[in-house]
Amino acid sequence: MEKHIFGERAAGVLLHISSLPGAYGIGSLGKEAYRFADSLARCGVRFWQVLPLVQTGYGDSPYQSVYSGSGNPYLIDLEQLVQEKLLRKSELTFCRHGGGCVDYAWLFETRYRVLRLAFSRFDTRQEEFVSFIREGRFDGYALFQTLKGRFGGVSFDRWPREYKFAQERALQIFRKENERELLFWQFVQFEFFRQWKKLKAYANERGVYIIGDIPLYVAYDSVDVWLNPRLFKLNSDLSMKKVAGVPPDYFSETGQLWGNPVYRWSIHKKENYAWWTERFRQAFELYDVVRADHFRGFDRYYEIDAGEKTAVHGVWKTGPKKELFEAAEKKLGRLNIIAEDLGTLDRGVYRLMAETGYPGMKVLEFAFDGNRRNPHLPKNISENCVCYTGTHDNDTLYGFIKGLQGKELRTFRECLNRTLKEEGEPPASGRKDMADAVIRLALKSRARLAIVPVQDLLQLDSRSRMNVPSTSGENWRFRLKSTVSDTVLSILKR
């Protein structure tokens, strides 16, 4: 990490943009985001971690996007469009949503209606927009979204052959016939990135840095796969040949079948990892620090035959290892990466961590199981890592402790109190007291950076959990009811 960003002890908050409070059904890049950045700055909290900002796809997950380089149209602040005179305040009435959680079905029905209304008043000839289009970054995205609309939203492998295989002559004709619709999708990305860059600059000016997230895998039904099929293990008809997942373990007898296409790493290597280098370049335009999800997959990854019902019969394959990062850093310079190294690790992953020097992750929710050699225990945490109380994939800290019963609860309390004594802290008794103590331990750890999810700061229970891996339907919906106070945030100052 560059010293001016990650050189001294600091703390941060994990709060995705979608979880901010507001009147329009989902958090946005508007006034509540600026208010939160101000609060972080006032309280000396130097990092704000968000989840992928991409347009969500299947299951409304930011880890299943139509394009890994996109911005989520739902996060565009509508009030800024009013300021741009693209909307009238009265026209936002049907976008208001008083409910607590994010309702993605309702958003899908209402948000694009109002964005199209804004686009109808937008001057597509303005210099900034023309320059944005000329860059060509979202040409493929605009084509993909327009084709999706034409063919009823079905997956690209079910489009007519000439479009499925992205035949240039057919696409040229399609572009001419659908110029206005293509411009709409360019407009959506233009507005998102204009608003995001403005918010990020505002936070940076106040000493607050943004940690973003780059998933290892991309969705099958995406621009990434449609326009780069050579980079993925597909059949000649572009159907999936191999898919990603993780093998059976203590948590699941059948493993996890993620279903994303896996990479054809031999082709990436032949092209000097150009696609990944560009992906990192785009990520560091958006964020100051990038959390590389499922980092172990760069060393070895688990692949399963497409069509399998579980992950039981997969095999381990060799990944690109340090070569990928060396190629990217040769072009881009030193990358500010946090390696998500959770899960079952082996010597290869430890070697890759040492070779890259990237800080890994420790999660205190995993720490207090009675095992004195547990790597997540504060006494076993090194300086070159990021200490979390929990992540977006875990239960909230208070929800987790609240759910402990019998022997598990006794073990957790005994181990926690032993650690508190070692750290010169008073013992914890009640469940909320234990949750508070875990946060204190994260902040006292040797890790240079401690991150606390906003749900843990507010002692929210399992109803406020962000995601339950390998499930769909109720995830990514958490929202705050009101702004987080300075009193809550001030305990993070390190």
Side-chain angles (χ1 to χ4, degrees):
M1 294 283 184
E2 292 178 21
K3 189 169 184 183
H4 74 280
I5 289 181
F6 205 67
E8 54 191 56
R9 286 164 56 81
V13 177
L14 170 55
L15 172 62
H16 193 38
I17 301 296
S18 65
S19 297
L20 288 163
Y24 302 108
I26 191 169
S28 77
L29 304 174
K31 61 187 178 185
E32 287 293 346
Y34 285 84
R35 192 173 293 170
F36 185 66
D38 282 336
S39 293
L40 293 173
R42 281 196 302 270
C43 297
V45 181
R46 293 183 53 223
F47 288 88
W48 177 1
Q49 181 170 342
V50 298
L51 299 179
L53 295 172
V54 292
Q55 181 172 324
T56 52
Y58 174 75
D60 308 307
S61 169
Y63 294 88
Q64 293 284 348
S65 178
V66 298
Y67 175 42
S68 65
S70 64
N72 190 344
Y74 293 158
L75 304 183
I76 293 171
D77 179 46
L78 300 180
E79 292 183 351
Q80 288 186 54
L81 298 184
V82 172
Q83 292 169 16
E84 292 174 38
K85 298 189 169 24
L86 299 178
L87 294 172
R88 302 183 186 94
K89 190 76 171 176
S90 60
E91 292 169 336
L92 301 187
T93 305
F94 75 92
C95 292
R96 289 186 169 272
H97 192 284
C101 293
V102 179
D103 183 341
Y104 287 99
W106 175 84
L107 275 174
F108 183 77
E109 292 298 321
T110 59
R111 191 53 51 94
Y112 286 112
R113 278 168 54 197
V114 78
L115 290 174
R116 287 185 182 279
L117 180 59
F119 175 63
S120 71
R121 296 167 182 152
F122 180 74
D123 181 6
T124 59
R125 297 165 299 178
Q126 63 174 274
E127 188 177 335
E128 192 180 356
F129 184 64
V130 170
S131 176
F132 179 84
I133 290 178
R134 197 176 292 131
E135 288 176 14
R137 179 173 164 185
F138 294 101
D139 287 355
Y141 164 84
L143 260 175
F144 187 83
Q145 289 296 94
T146 304
L147 283 160
K148 273 266 189 194
R150 169 67 66 88
F151 299 117
V154 299
S155 179
F156 81 87
D157 60 316
R158 295 170 59 192
W159 295 348
R161 180 179 177 82
E162 63 270 27
Y163 301 121
K164 171 181 171 178
F165 286 92
Q167 294 175 2
E168 189 51 42
R169 181 169 173 77
L171 294 181
Q172 281 180 355
I173 296 169
F174 187 83
R175 285 188 190 98
K176 288 178 183 176
E177 293 174 346
N178 295 275
E179 286 182 2
R180 188 69 182 168
E181 183 68 4
L182 291 168
L183 284 173
F184 168 71
W185 290 109
Q186 293 272 10
F187 159 77
V188 162
Q189 294 302 315
F190 174 74
E191 286 293 340
F192 173 89
F193 281 97
R194 182 157 67 171
Q195 290 190 8
W196 171 255
K197 287 176 180 178
K198 182 180 168 189
L199 173 62
K200 181 180 179 294
Y202 184 89
N204 286 170
E205 286 164 7
R206 285 152 184 77
V208 175
Y209 297 103
I210 307 294
I211 301 174
D213 198 301
I214 188 167
L216 172 59
Y217 293 114
V218 298
Y220 170 64
D221 188 25
S222 67
V223 180
D224 304 277
V225 175
W226 176 53
L227 292 182
N228 303 284
R230 71 193 184 284
L231 300 178
F232 301 87
K233 290 189 178 180
L234 307 178
N235 295 308
S236 59
D237 65 353
L238 301 190
S239 61
M240 285 190 285
K241 187 174 184 178
K242 304 287 183 180
V243 299
V246 290
D249 57 18
Y250 173 80
F251 299 102
S252 172
E253 291 182 1
T254 58
Q256 294 180 33
L257 186 65
W258 297 336
N260 307 72
V262 296
Y263 297 105
R264 203 180 294 275
W265 285 118
S266 59
I267 304 298
H268 285 267
K269 180 175 182 174
K270 195 176 292 184
E271 298 180 3
N272 198 30
Y273 303 101
W275 184 85
W276 265 99
T277 299
E278 175 60 15
R279 200 172 169 209
F280 277 126
R281 189 195 67 76
Q282 291 179 9
F284 283 102
E285 273 188 4
L286 288 177
Y287 314 119
D288 299 298
V289 180
V290 170
R291 172 190 175 272
D293 186 58
H294 197 58
F295 190 79
R296 76 137 303 120
F298 292 107
D299 177 61
R300 288 196 308 145
Y301 64 97
Y302 192 71
E303 70 175 28
I304 307 118
D305 287 342
E308 287 283 333
K309 301 299 183 188
T310 72
V312 170
H313 299 298
V315 293
W316 286 101
K317 295 284 187 176
T318 301
K321 302 184 183 293
K322 65 177 180 179
E323 270 190 2
L324 184 153
F325 301 100
E326 287 174 342
E329 292 192 339
K330 194 170 183 180
K331 288 260 185 84
L332 306 175
R334 178 66 176 167
L335 301 177
N336 286 323
I337 284 177
I338 296 169
E340 189 270 287
D341 58 341
L342 305 176
T344 305
L345 307 181
D346 55 28
R347 281 182 295 180
V349 187
Y350 293 124
R351 189 183 307 115
L352 182 59
M353 294 289 294
E355 288 170 344
T356 61
Y358 301 144
M361 291 173 56
K362 301 299 178 208
V363 180
L364 293 192
E365 201 170 289
F366 302 155
F368 308 105
D369 61 356
N371 176 10
R372 291 176 182 266
R373 298 178 66 182
N374 186 316
H376 300 279
L377 276 171
K379 67 179 181 181
N380 297 329
I381 292 176
S382 67
E383 185 179 322
N384 189 36
C385 73
V386 182
C387 182
Y388 290 80
T389 52
T391 75
H392 65 275
D393 281 335
N394 305 131
D395 198 349
T396 65
L397 180 59
Y398 176 58
F400 170 75
I401 295 173
K402 190 178 176 183
L404 294 174
Q405 301 294 332
K407 184 180 177 182
E408 282 188 332
L409 177 60
R410 287 194 299 275
T411 299
F412 185 92
R413 182 187 287 117
E414 288 168 7
C415 189
L416 173 62
N417 281 331
R418 184 166 61 241
T419 302
L420 289 169
K421 186 176 181 180
E422 291 168 355
E423 296 290 335
E425 292 278 332
S429 52
R431 295 176 195 259
K432 289 201 169 185
D433 192 25
M434 286 191 280
D436 273 342
V438 172
I439 294 174
R440 292 201 307 274
L441 288 173
L443 297 173
K444 286 190 73 172
S445 73
R446 284 188 293 273
R448 279 182 293 182
L449 178 58
I451 301 284
V452 183
V454 74
Q455 295 98 316
D456 294 354
L457 284 174
L458 296 171
Q459 291 200 332
L460 301 178
D461 64 21
S462 303
R463 290 171 293 181
S464 298
R465 182 171 181 166
M466 193 63 159
N467 181 49
V468 179
S470 296
T471 68
S472 61
E474 294 299 318
N475 296 322
W476 319 111
R477 301 182 66 224
F478 166 71
R479 285 191 78 199
L480 292 168
K481 292 182 172 63
S482 59
T483 305
V484 184
S485 72
D486 284 14
T487 304
V488 170
L489 292 173
S490 61
I491 66 167
L492 296 176
K493 190 162 186 177
R494 296 186 79 179

